[in-house]
Amino acid sequence: MAKSTFETATSSSGSGSGSGIPPIETYDEKPAEEQNVVRRLVDSFKRNDGLHITQKGQIGANGQVFDVESAALATAESPLARKLKGRHLQMIAIGGSIGTGLFVGSGKALQQGGPASLLIAFSLIGAMLFCTVQALGEMAVLLPVAGSFSAYSTRFLDPAWGFAMGWNYAMQWLIVLPLEIVAAAITIKYWDSPISPAVWVTIFLLTIISINLVGVQGYGEAEFVFSIIKVIAVIGFIVLGIILNIGGGKNAEYIGGRYWTSPGAFNNGFKGLCSVFVIAAFAFAGTELVGLAAAETTNPRKSLPTAVKQVFWRICLFYIVSLTLIGLLVPYTDPRLIGQSGSDAKASPFVIAIKNAAITGLDSVMNVVIMISVLSVGNSSVYGSSRTLAALAEQGQAPRFLAYIDRRGRPLNAIAVASAFGLLAYLAASSKENDAFTWLQALSGLSSIFTWGSICLAHIRFRRAWRIQGHSLNELAFRSQAGVTGSWIGFLFNVLVLLAQFWTGLSPVKPQYAPAISGASAHLKSFFQAYLAAPFVLVCYGGYKIMYRTPVMRCKDMDLKTGVRELNLGELLAEEELERAAWPKWKKAYKFLC
């Protein structure tokens, strides 16, 4: 039986004084070690006052002036915990964003555009994204700002555009959480579960919140495990798909390129191809989280370039190869591709391909993988939105209370707000679950295009400012392999995708097994379901621009000093050369590629 400090002290003083006072009666208490654990747990939620946060009233306080230098300092010196390791970042890069966009959304893309359009659109978006992530990697290694890519727009483009991009990105991930949980609840219906969807929503939501409350290490470990499962599943499907295509299934029937001939390689012509672009963008959403995680790695100079390289292999292997096999195994005329909604697992071409092969039980295994992917993306959504909200608050572009960082480096208030958005997932228990999914997807659908375009443009402006202010490329710890040319390609391609989506929003592709859209109200609904993110971005940008009259940043005035991670490049390069010299040939080849 343990005594409290007070009781022990009183008893000692009483016996020591010889007063004859009997010892105070004690009660059962927790052991000291257990008390310390509880106290540490409670204390971890308190604000960390020892770390710098933007000083009150510095940024935009007078409603006229936006202090870009203070905003840069705030995000650079953010107290977010830098506990992600290289293996976390690499697995986030490899499998972080593989979710319903690939496993389920590809079915809608196949139906609307055919196998050739599916392959072309995903390849072009993948190439554009490779250039984007390379540009992001260059800026993130030099300036590993915490929380949001909007910090680069604020610093290198226009604070008003940074505000718009910050809230665009935050809204994208805030909406993705309920969207993915609704998708998970609908996926459960594959097994005709009698349990109410509200129960599954509660389980999924509490799981995701718990992982994020553990801190960035919890997020990293969870994504590490989730990504391994997804990667194994995709590789397994690729092997199975090749076997099935050459006649190795139960039917022992050679398929080859039959479905590219009949019903054909394209569906709905050029419009069908354009309609696939935004589906591909939704499928790739989250790839840029590699850059967001940069500020929370112990050594971004070493871990980020490796992770950025691996994005290329994820695009090639997990998307292009698997979708090539999908186009070979499933015809775009298959009526099962038209699910109840974009989240209907029965409409997954991966599941359809397995069911066509009559392999018992494997379709359920694939659905479990889809559900794990949904949880993974939901987990990433809380991480992404909470860090973005904290960064916006540090720059004075969001309510100040969102900048609260506790002693374990968690943006607690931002996590609470992100988790609250998850309550929208209870719409899955209503009769309007499919409508809810459609509109939630509409708000987040184009967000990634705006984000990627802004990253490319910020990199173009950064490189110009870097040259004008007298710096050389040799000073950069990591250089984009695609260079400024790649950023121009990425930026222009994002603009083209926005134009293509505007066209297909006004004049949508005719559904194959449903009546054509007719009437002004139906066309208006179709347009906003395709383009809802654009008005949101324009309202944010225009409102902030009018209110604060922020200037477009000039290259000679851009801040290229605040937050730069000081690295002795000469020593680092010499150490790396010695380390590389000791590698065997296989490791040199691996490191060159990955």
Side-chain angles (χ1 to χ4, degrees):
M1 189 184 296
K3 295 183 179 183
S4 68
T5 306
F6 171 75
E7 290 165 352
T8 306
T10 310
S11 301
S12 300
S13 62
S15 58
S17 63
S19 61
I21 298 175
I24 297 173
E25 186 178 357
T26 59
Y27 299 92
D28 287 338
E29 292 180 352
K30 295 179 181 178
E33 288 182 11
E34 196 173 333
Q35 280 186 323
N36 289 337
V37 170
V38 173
R39 188 179 297 112
R40 284 201 302 270
L41 179 64
V42 173
D43 288 346
S44 72
F45 289 94
K46 294 179 180 177
R47 183 190 286 274
N48 193 333
D49 294 320
L51 292 170
H52 173 77
I53 301 287
T54 311
Q55 294 178 17
K56 187 176 180 180
Q58 271 192 319
I59 301 175
N62 61 2
Q64 298 294 324
V65 179
F66 186 92
D67 190 342
V68 178
E69 188 174 326
S70 296
L73 183 65
T75 50
E77 297 185 0
S78 168
L80 289 173
R82 288 174 176 169
K83 292 181 180 178
L84 283 183
K85 298 176 182 176
R87 64 182 176 88
H88 295 142
L89 201 62
Q90 287 169 28
M91 287 312 295
I92 290 170
I94 292 172
S97 69
I98 297 175
T100 52
L102 174 63
F103 290 128
V104 182
S106 56
K108 183 179 179 183
L110 177 62
Q111 186 276 318
Q112 288 189 349
S117 292
L118 179 71
L119 205 55
I120 291 168
F122 272 79
S123 298
L124 288 174
I125 292 287
M128 175 271 292
L129 196 54
F130 175 75
C131 297
T132 303
V133 175
Q134 286 283 328
L136 178 60
E138 179 175 302
M139 293 188 293
V141 170
L142 183 71
L143 301 160
V145 296
S148 175
F149 321 111
S150 64
Y152 298 124
S153 293
T154 297
R155 189 182 284 208
F156 303 130
L157 299 177
D158 180 345
W161 189 249
F163 173 80
M165 286 301 95
W167 278 103
N168 166 67
Y169 197 70
M171 187 57 66
Q172 174 191 345
W173 284 112
L174 287 170
I175 292 301
V176 161
L177 175 60
L179 187 149
E180 292 293 330
I181 294 176
V182 169
I186 293 174
T187 303
I188 292 286
K189 291 183 179 180
Y190 184 81
W191 295 284
D192 299 319
S193 172
I195 301 173
S196 168
V199 175
W200 294 113
V201 167
T202 303
I203 292 170
F204 295 141
L205 189 57
L206 289 177
T207 301
I208 290 169
I209 293 170
S210 299
I211 290 170
N212 277 273
L213 283 179
V214 172
V216 67
Q217 225 167 351
Y219 163 77
E221 293 296 345
E223 279 306 300
F224 185 76
V225 174
F226 288 154
S227 294
I228 286 175
I229 293 171
K230 290 186 287 185
V231 166
I232 291 171
V234 173
I235 292 174
F237 178 82
I238 288 171
V239 173
L240 176 65
I242 293 170
I243 293 170
L244 294 177
N245 186 258
I246 61 176
K250 280 189 177 181
N251 301 328
E253 183 184 11
Y254 176 76
I255 300 172
R258 178 192 307 169
Y259 298 134
W260 280 63
T261 305
S262 177
F266 291 94
N267 189 25
N268 296 310
F270 183 65
K271 185 184 287 187
L273 173 63
C274 290
S275 69
V276 175
F277 280 127
V278 78
I279 300 172
F282 181 76
F284 280 116
T287 303
E288 70 288 337
L289 279 171
V290 176
L292 190 61
E296 301 193 54
T297 56
T298 50
N299 186 0
R301 161 76 183 101
K302 187 174 182 180
S303 57
L304 189 60
T306 302
V308 166
K309 284 180 187 175
Q310 288 174 349
V311 168
F312 172 76
W313 293 111
R314 188 187 77 195
I315 291 168
C316 289
L317 179 62
F318 301 139
Y319 284 87
I320 307 305
V321 175
S322 63
L323 290 175
T324 299
L325 288 167
I326 286 296
L328 292 172
L329 295 171
V330 182
Y332 69 74
T333 52
D334 193 315
R336 289 170 296 179
L337 288 172
I338 315 300
Q340 294 177 5
S341 73
S343 63
D344 190 353
K346 293 178 186 178
S348 168
F350 290 80
V351 175
I352 292 170
I354 291 169
K355 285 186 77 71
N356 286 347
I359 303 174
T360 308
L362 199 56
D363 55 335
S364 290
V365 173
M366 196 68 221
N367 269 306
V368 171
V369 172
I370 291 173
M371 208 155 50
I372 289 171
S373 302
V374 162
L375 285 174
S376 171
V377 178
N379 183 40
S380 295
S381 71
V382 175
Y383 173 82
S385 59
S386 61
R387 269 63 184 176
T388 301
L389 288 172
L392 287 169
E394 286 167 353
Q395 296 177 79
Q397 296 176 333
R400 184 67 192 157
F401 79 96
L402 292 172
Y404 182 97
I405 312 289
D406 71 8
R407 293 182 182 182
R408 292 192 63 182
R410 298 170 298 198
L412 274 186
N413 291 343
I415 289 174
V417 170
S419 302
F421 267 77
L423 298 176
L424 289 171
Y426 283 101
L427 290 168
S430 74
S431 59
K432 299 290 185 182
E433 64 177 356
N434 295 320
D435 289 337
F437 184 91
T438 300
W439 283 106
L440 287 172
Q441 194 175 36
L443 193 55
S444 64
L446 279 181
S447 297
S448 294
I449 302 295
F450 282 106
T451 298
W452 298 335
S454 296
I455 290 171
C456 290
L457 188 58
H459 179 248
I460 292 165
R461 299 276 293 157
F462 158 73
R463 275 288 191 95
R464 180 172 168 78
W466 190 256
R467 178 173 54 81
I468 287 174
Q469 294 188 24
H471 297 282
S472 73
L473 296 181
N474 293 329
E475 297 175 58
L476 297 173
F478 172 72
R479 240 183 288 175
S480 167
Q481 291 176 316
V484 176
T485 303
S487 293
W488 272 114
I489 291 170
F491 173 70
L492 293 174
F493 193 78
N494 277 293
V495 172
L496 289 175
V497 170
L498 287 174
L499 293 174
Q501 184 64 8
F502 185 83
W503 175 42
T504 55
L506 285 176
S507 179
V509 171
K510 180 185 178 299
Q512 191 167 346
Y513 295 99
I517 296 171
S518 60
S521 61
H523 272 91
L524 192 64
K525 179 181 177 182
S526 172
F527 174 76
F528 278 109
Q529 283 180 347
Y531 227 72
L532 189 59
F536 177 79
V537 168
L538 292 176
V539 167
C540 287
Y541 175 71
Y544 200 87
K545 190 77 174 175
I546 292 169
M547 186 176 295
Y548 293 106
R549 302 187 182 279
T550 57
V552 173
M553 301 307 298
R554 301 178 67 183
C555 291
K556 65 183 183 67
D557 299 325
M558 289 179 191
D559 181 6
L560 299 177
K561 295 179 181 178
T562 305
V564 170
R565 186 160 287 193
E566 296 296 334
L567 298 168
N568 190 326
L569 278 183
E571 279 186 23
L572 283 173
L573 290 172
E575 286 176 13
E576 287 174 10
E577 283 297 324
L578 286 172
E579 190 179 349
R580 273 196 289 268
W583 289 346
K585 288 183 179 179
W586 69 265
K587 192 170 184 179
K588 287 180 181 178
Y590 171 78
K591 287 291 183 181
F592 175 76
L593 296 171
C594 302

